[in-house]
Amino acid sequence: MAPLVFVIGGTGAQGIPVIQGLVQDGAYAVRFLTRDANSPRSKHLLTLGNVSALEGTFTDEDALRTGFRGARYAFVNIDGFNAGEKTEMFWSMRAYELALEEGVEFFVYANLDYVYKKSGFDASFRTGHYDAKGRVAEWILLQNRDPAVSERMRAAVFTTGPYMAMVLAAGTPMAPRVEDGVVTWRDRADGMDLQVAIDLVDYGDLARAFERVTGRKARYVDTSLDEYWTSGPMGTGGRPTGYNADPGDPATMSLRANFTGFWNMWKYSGGNRGVVQRDFGLLDEIHPGRVRTAEEWFRREEEKSKRLGTPSLWERANNLRPVLKGLEDGRKGRL
């Protein structure tokens, strides 16, 4: 019998390919947590075989215990845009503790950079949905250094960045617009890391790659943060970052505050010499066949569209759809 992996965040943009990779050769079985086992994303995962759904939420201790029980491994990616910064930190830590209680052997935590710390605690880089995960990751690795803990359950941290698919999706910070027939990114992000497994990609290079692959015009227009928060894809940014977070709580960051730090983080990380850096040599060693450039990703997506008969990159740019689960669900106000 294949060893069981319990996945939290399995229906998200990261979780779906993780589950697909785990079960594709029959090496693992997966149980994933979902609020709705009949949602389109849940139904898709259940068609993969060797996959089962557990209905519940990550803020329910009984559901977490049930999910971890009998599982040999765990992959945990809690949605900070659902919970908000404070709630995400508590339930990520609690998930780790419950996994240890229930006998999980190896715990993998899906992380983002603790950019506030990496910047020397510079307030202009404060990005709540990154910092929450970064704090928890450090805490998990600290527990793992204790032999009495690591003998019971080992742990690893998987640190990523924005998903490449977000550059052609609705509602994301880097969503483009088609202006006079030209795909246009108007964002404050020169030198942005679009995905940790690809590269630190300059937006100008991104637009040129889109043109080479599709034959359609594309461009990048660097804008000020003031203009971004007037006409950008996220509006004025007045809403809470976590759609279940209490807007009256002083600890709740607004979208504007959170993503101002986000843009500053990537602006000052260009060339792999800034606040956020990656060891691409190590990534090549781990995954020699990985996608290394934006152009390669665009070409693969275009080829896949032709093979499957799905919308092309140009069609997707003209009809942006969500890739993030919270946006697809309409960000329902429930944990």
Side-chain angles (χ1 to χ4, degrees), residues 272-319:
N272 210 25
R273 295 184 299 273
V275 178
V276 175
Q277 299 181 22
R278 294 290 185 261
D279 186 345
F280 291 109
L282 177 62
L283 292 173
D284 291 341
E285 181 182 337
I286 293 170
H287 188 11
R290 73 181 184 89
V291 176
R292 289 177 171 82
T293 66
E295 182 172 345
E296 186 179 352
W297 186 84
F298 281 140
R299 289 196 185 282
R300 290 194 182 193
E301 288 294 296
E302 195 79 322
E303 290 166 3
K304 184 171 69 174
S305 296
K306 291 177 181 177
R307 187 173 67 253
L308 300 177
T310 54
S312 67
L313 293 174
W314 172 247
E315 291 168 331
R316 285 159 63 176
N318 282 271
N319 184 28

Side-chain angles (χ1 to χ4, degrees), residues 240 245-252:
D246 179 2
D249 187 333
T252 298

Side-chain angles (χ1 to χ4, degrees), residues 100 143-153:
L100 195 150
Q143 311 317 308
N144 202 51
R145 295 192 192 110
D146 184 340
V149 175
S150 61
E151 286 175 3
R152 294 179 60 185
M153 183 177 76

